[in-house]
Amino acid sequence: MWRQLEASDLVRLLGNTVQECAELLSEAVYDLRYRHLNREEKDKLIIRILERIDSPDLSLAGPEGKVRWEKGWQENLDNFVASGYNPGELTPKYIHPNQPIRLFGDYVIPHDSHFELSFYILLRRHLFKKYLPDADAIYEFGCGPAHNLVELARMYPDKELHGLEWAGPSLEIIRLLAQKHGYKVIEHEFNMFTPKDLEVNPNTAFLEIGAFEQLGKNFEPMLEFMLNKKPKIVVQMDAFLELCNPDNLSDYLSIKHNTRRNYLRGYLTRLRELEAAGKIQIIKAHKVKCCGLYEDGYSYVVWEPTIK
């Protein structure tokens, strides 16, 4: 039996208000129907997940992965150019259609093959509308194929947008977005493992979506960089394992998967230490109980330095 995500469900998932949720749903039509798996389907799915976690071919996070990301963003760049510079071709391939997802601590099958992408768009728009309207400039670290910058350019055409990436194809995508669409986007070659100095405009917001996962435990250089730049606000959507419940099966498997791949670990704990020391204020840390099959990557943390 198909069930529909209601407004009350989205309020819990997104961490917003009923009014904010209604506004988001009024902006587009989404098919957010789903059904729960039967026992046989769930058993097969869990075996599939465990096999992936144990696979010797599973790619690991770290600086050695640059070649892999360059290849992936090159595919987006090629499709973008071939389509006549259609921004719709910039969706990352890791947002997989036609597969189960995790919802409220369980596994479900979406009715629409692009359910996960639709939910991601809703969540992203919520964060952009709630936390970024007052910033004059927005810097996205690890911007990938620049799909988030496209959404920001459409929402805030007068803001100065900066995309920071270490992969050459991403920088070319940003240049083409400026040339072909007139977006106010500027590219910067930037390695988060060894962050270089960067002149940051006053009244700036920092944005990071799914990029810090690649840092594993090596996040201190980037955290120090951000603290030194004193942004107005920092918005991060990523896999914060501290928000997972290890007594829940889907969360437990996500923790195992993220740990196996050397993804981000200990970051939220470090932010809480900085807050206790009076150096930052955590505005919100929210566990988003809707995410991909393997990774818990849609939770978010919003914080700001206390010393400007």
Side-chain angles (χ1 to χ4, degrees):
M1 177 183 296
W2 297 108
R3 302 183 181 184
Q4 172 74 29
L5 277 183
E6 306 292 344
S8 58
D9 297 319
L10 290 174
V11 168
R12 293 165 57 201
L13 290 170
L14 303 180
N16 59 0
T17 66
V18 173
Q19 180 178 350
E20 289 169 336
C21 181
E23 290 174 356
L24 288 170
L25 290 175
S26 69
E27 294 168 354
V29 176
Y30 302 98
D31 183 352
L32 298 177
R33 289 174 289 173
Y34 66 95
R35 70 170 177 84
H36 288 279
L37 282 70
N38 61 40
R39 176 63 181 272
E40 182 179 357
E41 289 173 324
K42 189 170 183 178
D43 285 350
K44 289 181 178 179
L45 182 63
I46 291 173
I47 291 171
R48 171 183 162 189
I49 293 170
L50 289 170
E51 288 176 342
R52 175 182 170 89
I53 292 172
D54 293 335
S55 171
D57 300 325
L58 196 64
S59 60
L60 305 181
E64 300 79 10
K66 182 179 181 182
V67 174
R68 184 176 71 254
W69 292 111
E70 286 183 331
K71 180 180 178 181
W73 305 148
Q74 183 65 50
E75 184 178 356
N76 283 105
L77 172 59
D78 292 342
N79 293 341
F80 180 52
V81 173
S83 69
Y85 308 102
N86 175 14
E89 295 294 337
L90 299 178
T91 301
K93 304 301 180 184
Y94 56 70
I95 301 181
H96 299 289
N98 297 307
Q99 76 169 12
I101 63 169
R102 289 181 294 134
L103 181 66
F104 290 124
D106 200 1
Y107 298 99
V108 304
I109 295 179
H111 182 269
D112 179 38
S113 61
H114 294 287
F115 181 107
E116 184 182 351
L117 178 60
S118 296
F119 179 78
Y120 171 77
I121 290 171
L122 274 170
L123 173 59
R124 178 180 65 181
R125 192 161 182 83
H126 162 61
L127 294 176
F128 290 0
K129 289 183 70 172
K130 189 173 185 69
Y131 296 110
L132 300 180
D134 296 331
D136 295 330
I138 302 170
Y139 290 70
E140 184 185 4
F141 295 91
C143 65
H147 58 300
N148 299 315
L149 293 172
V150 169
E151 177 67 4
L152 286 168
R154 291 170 173 171
M155 291 179 65
Y156 302 118
D158 294 330
K159 291 189 187 300
E160 185 179 287
L161 305 175
H162 298 258
L164 298 94
E165 252 290 346
W166 63 350
S170 297
L171 305 178
E172 179 61 19
I173 289 172
I174 296 171
R175 286 190 286 266
L176 289 172
L177 286 171
Q179 294 171 11
K180 304 298 181 179
H181 292 276
Y183 295 154
K184 292 177 62 175
V185 291
I186 303 168
E187 79 280 1
H188 303 270
E189 184 176 358
F190 191 88
N191 186 336
M192 292 191 298
F193 288 97
T194 55
K196 64 181 181 181
D197 192 28
L198 186 72
E199 184 177 349
V200 172
N201 299 337
N203 199 34
T204 285
F206 284 172
L207 174 67
E208 177 268 314
I209 298 181
F212 268 40
E213 70 174 20
Q214 294 298 310
L215 297 179
K217 294 182 177 180
N218 188 25
F219 54 76
E220 283 292 346
M222 267 304 300
L223 185 52
E224 182 179 356
F225 169 88
M226 292 192 294
L227 289 169
N228 288 338
K229 293 301 175 182
K230 299 179 175 61
K232 176 182 178 66
I233 195 168
V234 180
V235 178
Q236 299 187 259
M237 182 198 301
D238 221 306
F240 304 108
L241 298 188
E242 294 94 333
L243 298 178
C244 291
N245 177 11
D247 293 327
N248 172 267
L249 178 60
S250 68
D251 273 11
Y252 174 78
L253 292 175
S254 178
I255 292 170
K256 284 183 66 69
H257 177 266
N258 283 24
T259 303
R260 170 76 169 79
R261 299 194 70 175
N262 291 331
Y263 281 172
L264 187 66
R265 280 172 289 171
Y267 184 72
L268 181 54
T269 298
R270 181 70 178 118
L271 290 183
R272 288 168 173 164
E273 291 173 353
L274 290 170
E275 183 176 47
K279 295 183 178 180
I280 71 168
Q281 178 185 358
I282 298 176
I283 299 169
K284 188 159 189 172
H286 182 68
K287 161 75 168 176
V288 176
K289 295 184 178 181
C290 180
C291 44
L293 182 55
Y294 303 105
E295 299 165 15
D296 202 71
Y298 294 155
S299 293
Y300 63 85
V301 174
V302 183
W303 58 276
E304 63 182 5
T306 54
I307 303 175
K308 301 296 185 179

